[in-house]
Structures are given as structure tokens and as C-alpha cells.
């Protein structure tokens, strides 16, 4: 066997191994898809896919909660996502620009304190945050979920963007200053276009984490007409004496589609943002 043939054989074996491992990884999803098309009686059978697919599970599941449809719940969730992602991208990039490019007193100390907030368990903050939002009369609104995203969105996002901005040459700022550009102008016209991969990475993380943040939604939202998809799935089980698991699984399957679609559409920028964060230019 020649060296070229040996390399091709090795590559083929590697691809076969990766395909087998991929099938093992996606098996739960395949089972999930099949189970969403089954009746309750057929769920106990060992076959992955039903003998007769119950496409009506998706139609009936969409309107299974009395007086409400999942159209409302998806709309509510997307409203939260829109403001949360926009707030995080704008505020985190602005704060990161300040730490990375603007000289001010005790900047290293403040940045260290920012990093320390990443080490605080979220469970420690539950009661203080709830008391603050209760006194502001924000309970049963989206404000407790959305507002924190307009104040940096968390230390992780600021840290990620700071590392990315520090990798950009400072000569760009100096050239813009000579041309009469203000500090905010440098941020908006120079830095923001160059950190697009990192911003998309932040947006994807924020979208997925907010979408999956069931606990805060459960803690602050109590009206059914304001429920998100996650709360609606929980209500799905509570509103039926005998749960139609096929319908339940079909709605839960639909609930992950937005995150999957957004990840694959922005995968190129996501990988680029992660790969280049922290590298010096």
C-alpha cells in the first residue's frame, strides 16, 4: 500500500468512526422525533418510529392548553429574546470597549471586580434580586428578565468582548482620532464592525441561555397570557388529567427549533468568534 493510499484509508476510517459516534449522539433526538408521532399506547413499544405517524399531535398540541395557543407562547418568548439579545450586545460591547480602550482611574480594579461577579453562584442572588424587583413592582412582567441584559448582560460577555477588542491594533484608534473621530465614533464606526464575529457569538449565547432559562421565567411570571414556551410546556402537563405525551413531545420538539436554526445559520461567525477571542492581532 502506497503512502497516498494509506492516508486515504486512514481518512476513511476516521470518517466512518465519526459517523458512528454522530449516530450515537443523535439517537435521543431521533427517538424524540419518532415519539412525537406516537400515541400514548405506542410509546411503550420498542420501535423508534410509529406504524402510523400521528401528525395530528402537532396540530392538537398547538391548541391543547384551553384558551391559549402556542402562537402566543412563542410570541412572548421571542419578545423577551429580542430585547435581551439587543440589550446584551449593545451594553456588553460598550462596557468592553471602555475597559479595553478607555483609560480611567482604577480600571484594573473594576475589571477584576467584574471578573469576580462570574464566580458568584446565581443561587446566592435569587432572594436579593427578587426583593428588589418586588419593591419596583416588576413581578409578573418581563422587566426582571430583560432589564439585567441592558447592564452588560453578565461578566462573561463583557470579558469575551474585552479580550477580542484587545486583539485589535490600537493604531486604528489613533488614525481615527487624527481624522477627528470621537471616542464614541471609534467605538461605533471602527470597533463594532471589526468585532462582528464576537458580537454574533455573544448574541447566540444570550439567545440560547435566555431561551432555556426556565427558572427566572417561573419565578417572575405568573399570568398564563404572559407565559413563555418553557412555562407553557409545564402548564401542558398540569392542565390535563391524562397527559397526551405525543402532543407534549411534539411541542417540546418545536421549542428547540429556533435555537438550532439560529446556531446553524450563524455557525461560521460563532466558530470564528470563539477561535479568535483572546488572540493578539
Amino acid at each position: 500500500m502506497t503512502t497516498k493510499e494509506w492516508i486515504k484509508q486512514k481518512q476513511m476510517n476516521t470518517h466512518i468512526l465519526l459517523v458512528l459516534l454522530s449516530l450515537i449522539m443523535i439517537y435521543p433526538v431521533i427517538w424524540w422525533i419518532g415519539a412525537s408521532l406516537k400515541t400514548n399506547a405506542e410509546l411503550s413499544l420498542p420501535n423508534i418510529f410509529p406504524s402510523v405517524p400521528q401528525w395530528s399531535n402537532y396540530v392538537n398540541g398547538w391548541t391543547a392548553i384551553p384558551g391559549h395557543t402556542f402562537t402566543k407562547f412563542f410570541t412572548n418568548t421571542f419578545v423577551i429574546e429580542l430585547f435581551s439579545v439587543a440589550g446584551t450586545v449593545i451594553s456588553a460591547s460598550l462596557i468592553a470597549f471602555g475597559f479595553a480602550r478607555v483609560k480611567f482611574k482604577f480600571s484594573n480594579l473594576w475589571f477584576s471586580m467584574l471578573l469576580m461577579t462570574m464566580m458568584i453562584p446565581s443561587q446566592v442572588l435569587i432572594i436579593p434580586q427578587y426583593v428588589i424587583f418586588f419593591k419596583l413592582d416588576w413581578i409578573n412582567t418581563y422587566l426582571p428578565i430583560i432589564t439585567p441584559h441592558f447592564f452588560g448582560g453578565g461578566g462573561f460577555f463583557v470579558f469575551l468582548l474585552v479580550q477580542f477588542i484587545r486583539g485589535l491594533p490600537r493604531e486604528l484608534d489613533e488614525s481615527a482620532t487624527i481624522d477627528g473621530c470621537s471616542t464614541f465614533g471609534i467605538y461605533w464606526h471602527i470597533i463594532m464592525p471589526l468585532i462582528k464575529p464576537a458580537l454574533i457569538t455573544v448574541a447566540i449565547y444570550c439567545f440560547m441561555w435566555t431561551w432555556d432559562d426556565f427558572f427566572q421565567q417561573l419565578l417572575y411570571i405568573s399570568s398564563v397570557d404572559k407565559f413563555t414556551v418553557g412555562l407553557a410546556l409545564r402548564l401542558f402537563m398540569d392542565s390535563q388529567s391524562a397527559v397526551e405525551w405525543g402532543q407534549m413531545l411534539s411541542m417540546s420538539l418545536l421549542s428547540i427549533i429556533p435555537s438550532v436554526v439560529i446556531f446553524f445559520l450563524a455557525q461560521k461567525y460563532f466558530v470564528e468568534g470563539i477561535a479568535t477571542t483572546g488572540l493578539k492581532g
Side-chain angles (χ1 to χ4, degrees), residues 21 26 33 43 74-75 86 88 105 136 148 150 161 164-165 169 173 176 179 182 208 210 219 224 230 242 263 268:
L21 291 175
I26 66 173
I33 295 172
L43 278 171
F74 272 96
T75 301
T88 297
K105 197 172 183 179
L136 292 172
F150 284 86
L161 292 176
F164 200 98
I165 295 173
D173 302 22
D179 291 338
S182 64
M208 292 193 296
T210 304
L219 187 63
V224 177
F263 176 79
K268 173 186 174 183

Side-chain angles (χ1 to χ4, degrees), residues 68-83:
H68 300 84
T69 67
F70 271 81
T71 303
K72 178 65 174 176
F73 302 134
F74 272 96
T75 301
N76 293 342
T77 309
F78 279 117
V79 168
I80 294 175
E81 291 290 344
L82 176 63
F83 285 101

Side-chain angles (χ1 to χ4, degrees), residues 32 62 70-71 73-79 81-82 85 203-212 229-230 233 250-267:
W32 189 0
W62 194 265
F70 271 81
T71 303
F73 302 134
F74 272 96
T75 301
N76 293 342
T77 309
F78 279 117
V79 168
E81 291 290 344
L82 176 63
V85 172
I204 293 173
Y205 269 125
C206 180
F207 183 93
M208 292 193 296
W209 289 353
T210 304
W211 190 278
D212 295 335
V229 174
L233 292 173
S250 65
M251 292 302 101
S252 62
L253 184 62
L254 291 179
S255 72
I256 71 168
I257 290 179
S259 296
V260 173
V261 170
I262 287 178
F263 176 79
F264 279 105
L265 289 178
Q267 186 178 22

Side-chain angles (χ1 to χ4, degrees), residues 104-123:
F104 58 94
K105 197 172 183 179
F106 304 123
S107 60
N108 291 333
L109 174 63
W110 289 115
F111 188 64
S112 298
M113 293 180 66
L114 171 72
L115 297 181
M116 289 174 62
T117 63
M118 298 169 59
M119 307 174 191
I120 301 175
S122 59
Q123 293 82 356

Side-chain angles (χ1 to χ4, degrees), residues 17 27 38 63 86 98 100 112 125 128 151 182 186-187 197 200 209 213 220 241-242 253 263 272-273:
L17 178 61
Y27 172 77
K38 292 181 179 181
T63 58
S112 298
L125 304 176
F151 292 89
S182 64
I186 294 173
Y187 157 76
I200 294 176
W209 289 353
D213 188 10
Y220 295 116
S241 55
L253 184 62
F263 176 79
E272 183 180 350

Side-chain angles (χ1 to χ4, degrees), residues 145 149 208-218 228:
I145 302 173
H149 292 278
M208 292 193 296
W209 289 353
T210 304
W211 190 278
D212 295 335
D213 188 10
F214 175 78
F215 182 76
Q216 281 204 87
Q217 300 166 9
L218 179 64
T228 59

Side-chain angles (χ1 to χ4, degrees), residues 238-250:
D238 296 340
S239 63
Q240 296 180 344
S241 55
V243 180
E244 290 291 337
W245 291 106
Q247 298 177 18
M248 174 71 177
L249 290 168
S250 65

Side-chain angles (χ1 to χ4, degrees), residues 132-180:
I132 292 173
F133 294 139
F134 178 80
K135 290 183 177 180
L136 292 172
D137 197 25
W138 286 2
I139 304 302
N140 198 30
T141 70
Y142 298 146
L143 291 176
I145 302 173
I146 294 174
T147 303
H149 292 278
F150 284 86
F151 292 89
F156 172 76
F157 294 132
V158 176
F159 173 73
L160 188 149
L161 292 176
V162 166
Q163 295 302 102
F164 200 98
I165 295 173
R166 283 176 176 172
L168 301 177
R170 284 186 174 271
E171 289 77 9
L172 297 172
D173 302 22
E174 296 170 0
S175 300
T177 302
I178 293 174
D179 291 338

